[in-house]
């Protein structure tokens, strides 16, 4: 005849839940530790990833995936400007324009004393910068040029030069941010001239998935007898923060903060178990078998840790969003870190609960 189980698993689970409820300060300390340790690890990870995402977005906006093609000849080499503009029709190319070079300084007909360098580009710059094109000649400039002249986006001006082919010609202006235009063209009148054919540079904007393929194709697309072998280089060699974003995410130290949090919580549970070893010894003395004792300890952990972890996740989400971190980053990194840390801590608690518990008599002998 099979022996009746004195302590079924359901009873052991209920006993562990009751221990969690009646544990008073010990239970409160465990719950606060779970919320604090897991929450701190998750929040630090969220903010770290958010910082990387913002830095990469700024890097991309500043021209991380912009390639610059130049003639391979040291002297006299040119690139066909219309051919450069046509590259924007290719898959993986978001825009392209040609730079024909620096000309004399330009000033307004009304304010000839305030002058800025003139750079001639192809009309493809409007598509490159996602701006509405200007019929005929159009001039782009940053606030550094426009504000001293009292000009804004869309104003029509007459630019003059000594000598100048634009004397008396109305030019529509377009305002662009310094970060978008870049240091290469910032602080100058960037004049789009559809009649210019010979260029010294071709700027091509791609994306992370196509930039390598586009870089390999540009020498074939732009090379000619006039240019010689075309040399292609990235506009930005590295990020402004000195980060290599391709590997910075995988190698960041806070990526394993969840593991440290789990170890801390495991050590805390081991300490709590040691201080309460006499209580566990009572269960063994009254016939609680090993499996039921494991279920009892796990249920107590679950009742205390799950609500604490969920509450901490809510706090991390609110704080992360309030600090300006991208919502997708907060949702993915916060939840992922919390789940990983809690799951690892639970495995440690399971391992600790598998440690044999001695009876009350053996425990008292150990104390004497």
């Amino acid at each position: 005849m099979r022996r009746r189980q004195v302590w079924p698993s359901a009873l052991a689970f209920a006993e562990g839940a009751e221990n969690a409820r009646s544990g008073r300060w010990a239970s409160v300390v465990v719950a606060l530790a779970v919320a604090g340790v897991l929450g701190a690890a998750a929040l630090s990870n969220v903010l770290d990833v958010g910082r990387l995402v913002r830095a990469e977005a700024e890097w991309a906006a500043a021209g991380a995936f912009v390639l610059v093609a130049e003639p391979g000849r040291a002297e006299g080499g040119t690139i066909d400007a219309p051919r450069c503009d046509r590259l924007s029709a290719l898959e993986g190319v978001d825009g392209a324009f040609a730079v024909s070079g620096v000309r004399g300084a330009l000033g307004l007909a009304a304010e000839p004393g305030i002058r800025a360098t003139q750079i001639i580009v192809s009309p493809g710059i409007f598509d490159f910068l996602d701006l509405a094109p200007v019929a005929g000649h159009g001039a782009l400039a940053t606030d550094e040029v426009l504000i001293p002249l009292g000009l804004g986006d869309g104003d029509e001006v007459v630019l003059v030069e000594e000598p100048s082919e634009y004397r008396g010609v109305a030019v529509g202006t377009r305002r662009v941010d310094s970060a978008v235009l870049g240091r290469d063209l910032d602080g100058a009148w960037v004049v789009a001239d559809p009649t210019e054919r010979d260029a010294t540079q071709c700027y091509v904007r791609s994306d992370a998935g196509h930039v390598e393929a586009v870089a390999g194709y540009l020498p074939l697309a732009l090379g000619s007898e006039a240019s010689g072998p075309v040399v292609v280089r990235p506009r930005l060699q590295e990020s402004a923060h000195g980060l290599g974003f391709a590997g910075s995410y995988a190698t960041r130290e806070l990526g394993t903060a969840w593991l440290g949090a789990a170890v801390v919580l495991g050590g805390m549970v081991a300490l709590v178990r040691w201080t309460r070893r006499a209580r566990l010894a009572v269960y063994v003395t009254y016939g609680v078998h090993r499996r039921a004792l494991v279920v009892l300890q796990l249920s107590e952990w679950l009742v205390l840790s799950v609500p604490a972890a969920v509450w901490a996740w809510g706090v991390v989400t609110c704080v992360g969003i309030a600090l300006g971190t991208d919502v997708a980053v907060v949702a993915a990194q916060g939840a992922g870190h919390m789940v990983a840390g809690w799951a690892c801590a639970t495995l440690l608690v399971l391992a600790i609960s598998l440690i044999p518990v001695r009876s009350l008599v053996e425990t008292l002998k150990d104390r004497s």
Side-chain angles (χ1 to χ4, degrees):
M1 183 176 179
R2 186 178 179 182
R3 185 178 178 182
R4 189 173 71 88
Q5 189 177 29
V6 179
W7 274 79
S9 297
L11 179 60
F13 190 93
E15 181 70 12
E18 179 61 25
N19 287 343
R21 188 192 67 81
S22 60
R24 298 182 181 179
W25 287 110
S27 296
V28 171
V29 169
V30 170
L32 289 178
V34 170
V37 173
L38 288 182
L43 182 60
S44 62
N45 176 67
V46 164
L47 297 180
D48 187 45
V49 175
R51 179 184 61 83
L52 286 176
V53 170
R54 284 193 300 272
E56 186 173 15
E58 293 171 359
W59 183 49
F65 305 117
V66 173
L67 302 170
V68 181
E70 298 172 321
R73 291 180 180 175
E75 296 181 2
T78 60
I79 290 176
D80 186 68
R83 186 185 300 181
C84 174
D85 280 9
R86 287 195 295 269
L87 291 173
S88 60
L90 298 177
E91 181 181 357
V93 176
D94 298 329
F97 73 95
V99 177
S100 296
V102 178
R103 305 285 173 84
L106 290 177
L108 298 185
E111 293 284 350
I114 303 177
R115 310 173 72 79
T117 302
Q118 173 190 184
I119 299 177
I120 305 299
V121 300
S122 65
I125 193 170
F126 294 105
D127 184 50
F128 185 93
L129 297 177
D130 295 322
L131 297 174
V134 176
H137 297 100
L140 293 83
T142 61
D143 285 338
E144 182 181 342
V145 175
L146 297 178
I147 290 179
L149 297 172
L151 299 176
D153 185 62
D155 290 343
E156 201 169 88
V157 297
V158 177
L159 298 176
V160 295
E161 177 191 351
E162 292 294 333
S164 173
E165 60 182 294
Y166 301 113
R167 177 184 295 276
V169 177
V171 176
T173 61
R174 286 289 184 269
R175 177 193 174 277
V176 289
D177 293 332
S178 298
V180 175
L181 200 56
R183 282 178 289 181
D184 299 335
L185 307 178
D186 189 15
W189 284 110
V190 181
V191 180
D193 186 353
T195 64
E196 197 72 38
R197 297 196 62 85
D198 295 331
T200 57
Q201 291 179 317
C202 178
Y203 283 69
V204 180
R205 187 179 71 230
S206 185
D207 52 53
H210 296 90
V211 65
E212 292 186 6
V214 171
Y217 177 71
L218 288 182
L220 300 176
L222 298 175
S224 65
E225 293 184 4
S227 66
V230 172
V231 178
V232 179
R233 60 177 174 83
R235 180 181 157 200
L236 299 181
Q237 298 298 330
E238 59 181 14
S239 76
H241 302 272
L243 296 173
F245 292 108
S248 59
Y249 176 82
T251 58
R252 60 198 172 86
E253 295 180 357
L254 290 176
T256 56
W258 60 269
L259 182 59
V263 171
V264 170
L265 293 177
M268 179 201 66
V269 171
L271 179 61
V272 170
R273 168 172 164 149
W274 183 82
T275 60
R276 301 169 68 181
R277 62 190 184 280
R279 177 185 295 186
L280 295 175
V282 172
Y283 286 112
V284 174
T285 302
Y286 282 92
V288 179
H289 53 81
R290 188 175 182 182
R291 185 177 66 182
L293 200 61
V294 171
V295 172
L296 185 150
Q297 295 175 82
L298 277 180
S299 67
E300 184 175 3
W301 163 257
L302 292 175
V303 170
L304 293 174
S305 66
V306 171
V310 172
W311 180 81
W313 173 75
V315 172
V316 168
T317 301
C318 293
V319 173
I321 294 175
L323 292 177
T325 306
D326 184 75
V327 176
V329 172
V330 173
Q333 295 296 325
H337 229 65
M338 293 292 294
V339 170
W342 179 85
C344 187
T346 301
L347 290 177
L348 292 176
V349 172
L350 174 61
I352 293 170
S353 65
L354 290 173
I355 299 174
V357 178
R358 293 183 293 182
S359 66
L360 186 59
V361 174
E362 292 171 329
T363 301
L364 291 175
K365 285 182 178 180
D366 184 54
R367 287 185 174 183
S368 61

